[in-house]
């Protein structure tokens, strides 16, 4: 068997060597052709890739051409300065989103611009509206704007027929309501927007009668004009799938001008607005909002680990608010220069 097979094997060995040599030669020739073909085919593509690279570079600000100075780790635009805030501050400010997903945070450092503690409305209100009782507390900025809104409301309607039915609630207050009314009606303690001091419910008192407010008669003035005073209707009709709360014509929330303009004019919920703002960043496009005779620009800064560095304008008035989700919203008033108070706020934030 061995003798018979060995010559054949030898022959096949020679064949294999020849075959391999041929394959190598063919492969080298083919490779030269293919490679040169690929090169000529790919030259324009390589250029295109280069062009893309150039475009990428050009999209980044050129310090020498746009007056932007270079910091070691981050590019600071001209007329901006850095302030550093505790990242826990995302839970405070006029734009905090409080719902079933993002609870109210009761404790914090509270030094985000304009963060305020609720005070007695009765002691600070004017005669153009009433309060249910002395337990009605709201943040001072809310009362200030309620006074302005109801003065205009009474001038329009001739009737001081609205009263504040509910306002700030502590977590303990909410627990009592929850225990009494149940989960179908009351939010879980910690998950009610009333904890913020920026939310309140209105009702009607007329001729000794108390009733729920509805979108009828002169009451429609409120949803039509609330934006001018920084208020929104927090739980609008047809948005229950987003807010988790059925339409509440009586529940208003202070978010401040110009946010109230944008939210009311575009029929948004605060959930949608907070999400939308995240697409406007410091170095990207800012959200421009016209509110009355003023113009504003808004941008979002994500919260960092521990502290967050926020770039704010040096030549314009601004406010900073947490969103209670993951970052900060900077509101720049293009028509106002920083005041001493604003400068102080910035120092506090720093
Ligand atoms: Zn309410």
């Amino acid at each position: 068997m061995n003798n018979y097979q060995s010559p054949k094997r030898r022959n096949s060995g020679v064949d294999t060597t020849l075959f391999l040599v041929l394959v190598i030669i063919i492969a080298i020739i083919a490779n030269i052709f293919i490679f040169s073909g690929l090169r000529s085919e790919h030259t324009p593509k390589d250029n295109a890739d280069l062009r893309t690279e150039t475009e990428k570079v050009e999209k980044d600000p050129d310090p020498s051409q746009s007056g932007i100075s270079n910091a070691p780790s981050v590019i600071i635009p001209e007329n901006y300065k850095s302030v550093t805030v505790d990242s826990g501050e995302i839970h405070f400010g006029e734009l905090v989103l409080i719902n079933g997903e993002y609870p109210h945070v009761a404790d914090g450092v509270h030094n985000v611009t304009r963060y305020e503690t609720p005070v007695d409305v009765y002691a600070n209100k004017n005669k153009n509206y009433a309060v249910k009782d002395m337990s009605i507390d709201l943040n001072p900025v809310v009362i200030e704007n309620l006074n302005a809104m109801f003065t205009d409301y009474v001038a329009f309607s001739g009737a001081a027929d609205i009263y504040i039915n509910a306002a700030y609630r502590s977590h303990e207050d909410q627990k009592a309501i929850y225990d009494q009314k149940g989960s179908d009606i009351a939010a879980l303690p910690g998950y009610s927007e009333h904890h913020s001091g920026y939310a309140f419910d209105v009702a009607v008192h007329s001729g000794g009668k108390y009733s729920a407010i509805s979108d009828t008669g002169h009451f429609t003035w409120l949803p039509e004009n609330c934006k001018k005073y920084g208020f929104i209707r927090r739980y609008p009709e047809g948005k229950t799938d987003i807010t988790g709360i059925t339409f509440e014509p009586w529940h208003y929330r202070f978010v401040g001008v110009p946010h109230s303009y944008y939210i009311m004019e575009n029929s948004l919920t605060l959930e949608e607005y907070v999400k939308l703002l995240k697409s406007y960043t410091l170095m990207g496009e800012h959200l421009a909002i016209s509110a009355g005779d003023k113009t504003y620009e808004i941008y979002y800064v994500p919260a960092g680990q521990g502290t967050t560095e926020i770039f704010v304008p040096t030549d314009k008035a601004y406010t900073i608010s947490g969103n209670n989700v993951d970052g900060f919203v900077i509101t720049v008033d293009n028509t106002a220069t920083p005041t001493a108070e604003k400068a102080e706020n910035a120092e506090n934030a720093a």
Side-chain angles (χ1 to χ4, degrees):
M1 285 272 273
N2 272 346
N3 285 343
Y4 179 70
Q5 291 263 333
S6 54
K8 228 184 177 183
R9 212 184 267 157
R10 212 174 288 124
N11 278 342
S12 107
V14 171
D15 286 353
T16 307
T17 310
L18 272 171
F19 179 70
L20 280 174
V21 168
L22 270 171
V23 164
I24 289 164
I25 290 166
I26 289 164
I28 289 168
I29 293 165
N31 204 32
I32 288 165
F33 274 96
I34 290 163
F35 189 66
S36 66
L38 281 175
R39 253 217 322 236
S40 62
E41 252 177 45
H42 276 231
T43 302
K45 213 177 175 187
D46 288 344
N47 281 350
D49 288 346
L50 276 174
R51 207 160 45 238
T52 309
E53 281 305 307
T54 312
E55 275 169 8
K56 275 179 196 157
V57 169
E58 280 171 359
K59 272 177 191 164
D60 290 329
D62 181 350
S64 65
Q65 287 182 13
S66 55
I68 290 164
S69 59
N70 241 329
S73 59
V74 66
I75 298 162
I76 309 168
E78 201 183 1
N79 298 327
Y80 279 79
K81 64 176 180 181
S82 159
V83 296
T84 302
V85 299
D86 187 308
S87 295
E89 297 290 309
I90 64 162
H91 302 299
F92 304 97
E94 296 160 0
L95 285 167
V96 289
L97 176 68
I98 296 162
N99 58 22
E101 196 176 348
Y102 302 105
H104 173 255
V105 174
D107 299 309
V109 186
H110 301 174
N111 64 4
V112 160
T113 315
R114 293 190 76 174
Y115 177 78
E116 291 159 301
T117 305
V119 298
D120 181 24
V121 177
Y122 184 76
N124 294 282
K125 72 172 197 67
N126 62 23
K127 62 179 170 40
N128 295 308
Y129 61 109
V131 290
K132 187 182 81 175
D133 55 37
M134 304 288 277
S135 75
I136 298 294
D137 291 351
L138 284 168
N139 293 347
V141 67
V142 182
I143 302 173
E144 194 183 301
N145 284 280
L146 279 176
N147 289 346
M149 181 166 77
F150 284 115
T151 298
D152 292 347
Y153 168 78
V154 172
F156 167 80
S157 69
D161 54 3
I162 306 268
Y163 73 104
I164 308 292
N165 192 21
Y168 166 72
R169 285 182 206 141
S170 67
H171 288 209
E172 292 72 35
D173 296 337
Q174 188 67 27
K175 190 181 182 305
I177 293 168
Y178 184 81
D179 290 346
Q180 191 195 334
K181 295 189 175 175
S183 60
D184 286 348
I185 293 176
L188 259 174
Y191 294 84
S192 168
E193 197 182 49
H194 284 281
H195 294 316
S196 67
Y198 292 118
F200 58 92
D201 298 338
V202 293
V204 179
H205 72 100
S206 186
K209 284 182 179 175
Y210 295 87
S211 56
I213 199 163
S214 58
D215 285 350
T216 55
H218 65 247
F219 299 126
T220 58
W221 186 94
L222 279 180
E224 284 163 11
N225 292 276
C226 65
K227 67 180 180 184
K228 296 175 191 167
Y229 313 90
F231 298 116
I232 60 165
R233 277 226 285 212
R234 180 68 179 86
Y235 306 117
E237 206 163 8
K239 299 266 188 169
T240 305
D241 56 327
I242 298 166
T243 62
I245 310 272
T246 50
F247 177 44
E248 287 195 356
W250 54 83
H251 182 111
Y252 283 82
R253 160 71 192 267
F254 184 81
V255 292
V257 170
H259 310 289
S260 52
Y261 274 77
Y262 197 90
I263 290 170
M264 293 304 288
E265 286 171 2
N266 293 284
S267 302
L268 296 179
T269 60
L270 190 56
E271 280 82 1
E272 292 168 303
Y273 186 63
V274 162
K275 194 177 171 189
L276 171 87
L277 289 181
K278 290 176 71 171
S279 57
Y280 297 93
T281 57
L282 172 73
M283 298 307 287
E285 191 191 349
H286 294 180
L287 175 64
I289 306 179
S290 293
D293 55 359
K294 288 185 157 199
T295 62
Y296 296 82
E297 56 183 272
I298 324 294
Y299 55 94
Y300 162 83
V301 175
Q305 293 282 335
T307 60
T308 304
E309 191 173 28
I310 300 176
F311 291 98
V312 294
T314 53
D315 56 347
K316 290 171 188 165
Y318 67 89
T319 58
I320 301 171
S321 173
N323 67 5
N324 201 38
V325 177
D326 54 11
F328 296 92
V329 176
I330 292 77
T331 305
V332 179
D333 183 345
N334 283 328
T335 51
T337 49
T339 61
E341 190 197 340
K342 289 270 161 58
E344 199 185 296
N345 279 335
E347 291 308 314
N348 287 342

